[in-house]
Amino acid sequence: MTTAQACPCGSGKTLADCCDRYHRGEAAHTPETLMRSRYSAFVLNLTDYLRETWAAGSRPDSLPPDETTRWVRLDILDHGEQDDTGWVQFRATFLEGRRWGVLEEASRFVREGGRWFYLDGRPTVTRLKPGRNAPCPCGSGRKFKSCCGAG
């Protein structure tokens, strides 16, 4: 993916004008911005960035790249902040092999030293079985059979 392409977070901006600057070290100014940049990092397999933006007390020792999951859509359902805590509820649609799924999570964030970090979340995963004439889960607005279900 090049920085001139649409940002994976769904903002409508290019990657260069959106999440790439956070991946290169700029501090995200809100929990939602951090969530969007972390989603883009999952899409791009930027595991170092994911670990760096995890709060120290809950950061995993390692985070191996995930070559099997293709993240296709992010929907922010709710977000906010109060003092040095924040939250984002989101829905992320993914494809693993030929199986579709949705990860929904209520994530918590904390601001430390002027920077936001992902603290933890309560994820739920639901499997999708889109019908041929159903809307495509990727959000294109086309029917599944004419989009991701083609071929």
Side-chain angles (χ1 to χ4, degrees):
M1 175 172 274
T2 68
T3 56
Q5 291 177 301
C7 190
C9 81
S11 66
K13 300 176 184 176
T14 65
L15 179 59
D17 291 334
C18 194
C19 292
D20 185 57
R21 64 185 186 207
Y22 306 116
H23 298 160
R24 290 184 284 113
E26 185 178 323
H29 54 282
T30 66
E32 179 189 2
T33 304
L34 181 58
M35 181 66 244
R36 287 182 176 281
S37 70
R38 285 177 55 84
Y39 173 83
S40 293
F42 274 105
V43 171
L44 301 170
N45 251 329
L46 303 176
T47 56
D48 288 343
Y49 177 78
L50 292 167
R51 285 194 71 253
E52 290 166 9
T53 57
W54 220 303
S58 60
R59 181 179 300 144
D61 292 333
S62 65
L63 193 60
D66 181 359
E67 304 294 334
T68 62
T69 304
R70 184 170 68 102
W71 298 96
V72 297
R73 181 178 176 180
L74 175 66
D75 296 303
I76 303 295
L77 307 174
D78 188 28
H79 61 91
E81 60 186 86
Q82 184 174 9
D83 300 322
D84 289 334
T85 62
W87 66 92
V88 177
Q89 183 176 357
F90 70 92
R91 183 179 300 132
T93 305
F94 63 92
L95 183 62
E96 289 177 326
R98 295 179 53 133
R99 295 184 68 192
W100 286 92
V102 172
L103 169 74
E104 191 167 326
E105 181 173 298
S107 302
R108 296 188 312 154
F109 295 82
V110 61
R111 186 170 24 209
E112 297 172 347
R115 293 183 79 100
W116 286 103
F117 293 91
Y118 172 77
L119 183 60
D120 60 18
R122 295 184 316 272
T124 59
V125 175
T126 306
R127 289 292 171 189
L128 298 177
K129 190 166 179 125
R132 290 179 40 76
N133 291 315
C136 191
C138 76
S140 67
R142 300 187 327 223
K143 289 183 180 182
F144 180 66
K145 68 181 179 185
S146 302
C147 192
C148 294

